[in-house]
Amino acid sequence: MDQFVIEGGATLRGEIPVSGAKNAALPALAAALLTEEPVVLHRIPRVRDLATMANLLRHTGASVDTDGETLRIEARNLTHPEAPYETVKTMRASSLVLGPLVARCGRARVSMPGGCAIGTRPIDLHILGLEGLGARVTQTHGYIEAEAAGGLEGRKVTFGRITVTGTEDLLMAAVLARGTTVLENAAQEPEVQDLAAMLTKMGARIAGAGTPTITIEGVERLHGTEHTIIPDRIEAGTFLIAGALAGEDLAITGCDPAHLDALLEKMTACGINLKTGPDSVTVSRSPGFRAVDMTTKEHPGFPTDLQAQYMALMTQADGISLVTETIFENRFMHVPELMRMGASIRTDGRQAIVAGPRQLSGAQVMSSDLRASASLVLAALVARGTSIVDRVYHIDRGYEAIEQKLAAAGARISRVRG
Ligand code: EPU
């Protein structure tokens, strides 16, 4: 298993370019299943989850050709409308094909996701939503089977809690349903908006994406399109925090600062030096910056996907901060690892109290999930001495060449293949 070896204390300068958003690209690939015409997607990040999704599409019968960051998908004949266990167990977002496959083929078979490091993460709301649109859903042998032989029916679906991929799954199901679907208590994330923009280009009729109520007028068929994925706000946020810890005029380029509002507000409240441009943010290390409490929330709140990285930042802030995780029940796996590096953190349920600043010292630490690993890399950048971050396959799921991007800005980080 690959490791990162990181020598702390280097200053990051210059530019770090942001890739396309993993969590916008994944539903975009699934949406290509809704038409038999070719779909061309640009700015697809070269990360493992996207390779997994491309293989899943191939498994269903679609062809997927890759040329750098561009993908050409043609879903002419979907001979196997299913997501097998092997795929779903490595990537829970595989459930995103459920909605499009039922809408397009009238049936779908998707493995139930198993356990996950950050929480139980059920997909009951996807299932309830599809049933709401008239699908018959059964569960056998670890698989969910959904059927709507006569097509789906537009209806009102109210999500019991806000779910990002659940909203996307239902949006993709509803675009080909008969009549009008109204999704209430929908997720408002930029990734949902990007999916709606792509579907609209394909001929879908969608209003209200980016608000809690999305209205979809079903159409009979969708056509092919070409679409460029939005920048990855979580990757951008991770590098911004790297800059706040170890940067000197470090520019994070090719991002959309409007998608980073919640983080930028927090960093400003901390007293961190930021300069926002139209598609970049420049950040510098700001000695003596303040600790500020943070609670994760659905968009436009502070993203749970930046909670671990924010906690790494708080270990270097002046004072005590309370970090509260409201989205997932078990997303503090980075805490014991940060403590091994010398951080002072106490957790109680979904709350963590961080006392800073603490001089961290390099240690051998273990990645447990994608964002937790990112926080360990950030901590290692400011730790005294050498850190070894194990199991970086977690980070490879969602960050494109993170070690190369950081090294190009001056970080002393290398990958040891194992
Ligand atoms: N939930 C249910 N039932 C459902 C669906 C969700 O109870 O049917 C619960 C979840 O267990 C969780 C909460 O609702 O407690 C929110 O989960 P959500 O469905 O919004 O998460 P997701 O769609 O599975 C996406 C991202 C995650 C990100 C979350 C929250 C993708 C592919 N994944 O997951 O990204 O953390 O939204 O913003 O878009 C990551 O990139 O590292 C990552 C985990």
Side-chain angles (χ1 to χ4, degrees):
M1 277 183 270
D2 289 7
Q3 298 177 326
F4 285 159
V5 177
I6 302 165
E7 190 72 42
T11 298
L12 307 184
R13 293 190 181 83
E15 291 187 3
I16 302 187
V18 173
S19 300
K22 166 183 83 86
N23 289 349
L26 289 168
L29 260 71
L33 296 174
L34 287 163
T35 176
E36 56 199 21
E37 294 180 18
V39 169
V40 177
L41 298 172
H42 301 292
R43 208 177 185 185
I44 297 291
R46 281 165 287 195
V47 299
R48 202 160 52 91
D49 274 7
L50 265 302
T52 307
M53 189 56 122
N55 281 335
L56 173 54
L57 262 55
R58 290 186 185 105
H59 176 89
T60 65
S63 73
V64 184
D65 297 309
T66 308
D67 179 9
E69 294 186 342
T70 296
L71 239 60
R72 186 181 186 281
I73 302 159
E74 202 170 329
R76 195 181 295 271
N77 287 313
L78 296 178
T79 45
H80 290 90
E82 65 157 31
Y85 177 60
E86 286 63 36
T87 318
V88 179
K89 81 168 185 228
T90 56
M91 188 185 65
R92 307 174 67 81
S94 310
S95 52
L96 278 169
V97 299
L98 186 58
L101 286 176
V102 188
R104 171 87 189 279
C105 308
R107 69 192 166 94
R109 191 166 172 270
V110 171
S111 169
M112 294 275 292
C116 171
I118 62 175
T120 47
R121 303 187 75 184
I123 57 165
D124 55 314
L125 300 171
H126 301 229
I127 297 170
L128 278 172
L130 283 174
E131 284 175 340
L133 300 189
R136 212 169 54 86
V137 183
T138 51
Q139 280 180 36
T140 39
H141 309 301
Y143 276 78
I144 295 158
E145 295 193 8
E147 222 187 289
L152 295 165
E153 298 273 355
R155 302 259 171 77
K156 180 167 151 179
V157 172
T158 304
F159 291 104
R161 71 175 288 178
I162 298 173
T163 160
V164 177
T165 51
T167 300
E168 293 164 349
D169 213 4
L170 265 286
L171 184 55
M172 291 187 276
V175 287
L176 291 180
R178 264 190 311 278
T180 307
T181 300
V182 180
L183 302 180
E184 295 275 14
N185 201 25
Q188 303 173 57
E189 267 67 3
E191 292 76 16
V192 174
Q193 298 179 44
D194 196 39
L195 173 65
M198 172 183 166
L199 292 168
T200 303
K201 285 193 221 164
M202 294 169 76
R205 297 211 195 122
I206 302 168
T211 76
T213 304
I214 307 179
T215 306
I216 305 122
E217 297 283 343
V219 295
E220 224 159 80
R221 56 188 301 276
L222 295 181
H223 49 77
T225 193
E226 198 160 338
H227 184 71
T228 302
I229 302 298
I230 55 171
D232 195 314
R233 64 196 169 100
I234 306 302
E235 188 199 20
T238 304
F239 290 136
L240 271 173
I241 292 174
L245 289 167
E248 209 176 273
D249 283 331
L250 178 72
I252 313 306
T253 59
C255 63
D256 186 340
H259 294 168
L260 289 160
D261 269 352
L263 175 66
L264 296 178
E265 258 172 44
K266 276 291 166 209
M267 291 175 82
T268 304
C270 291
I272 290 165
N273 218 331
L274 296 169
K275 270 185 288 199
T276 303
D279 61 357
S280 69
V281 184
T282 303
V283 58
S284 290
R285 186 196 290 132
S286 313
F289 72 89
R290 288 180 294 278
V292 174
D293 294 349
M294 184 279 281
T295 300
T296 61
K297 269 303 240 169
E298 294 88 356
H299 194 77
F302 193 100
T304 171
D305 288 346
L306 283 173
Q307 177 259 109
Q309 301 90 317
Y310 186 81
M311 200 183 292
L313 180 68
M314 286 302 101
T315 67
Q316 302 307 299
D318 188 15
I320 305 238
S321 52
L322 181 65
V323 173
T324 308
E325 171 59 55
T326 69
I327 309 294
F328 292 110
E329 65 269 29
N330 188 28
R331 211 172 196 185
F332 282 153
M333 308 270 281
H334 43 287
V335 170
E337 302 302 303
L338 290 173
M339 287 171 70
R340 295 192 64 246
M341 298 176 78
S344 166
I345 307 172
R346 238 188 30 223
T347 55
D348 180 9
R350 292 185 178 206
Q351 295 196 313
I353 300 161
V354 188
R358 288 287 187 277
Q359 172 65 58
L360 302 181
S361 69
Q364 181 152 4
V365 287
M366 183 88 86
S367 305
S368 53
D369 68 81
L370 173 56
R371 309 302 174 186
S373 346
S375 82
L376 301 181
V377 170
L378 294 174
L381 291 176
V382 286
R384 190 172 284 151
T386 308
S387 297
I388 296 176
V389 180
D390 267 330
R391 301 197 175 175
V392 297
Y393 63 85
H394 286 293
I395 217 165
D396 291 334
R397 287 187 50 195
Y399 287 90
E400 179 173 324
I402 189 171
E403 79 280 21
Q404 291 170 27
K405 290 190 184 188
L406 287 170
R412 291 189 292 259
I413 175 169
S414 56
R415 178 184 292 259
V416 176
R417 305 223 173 249

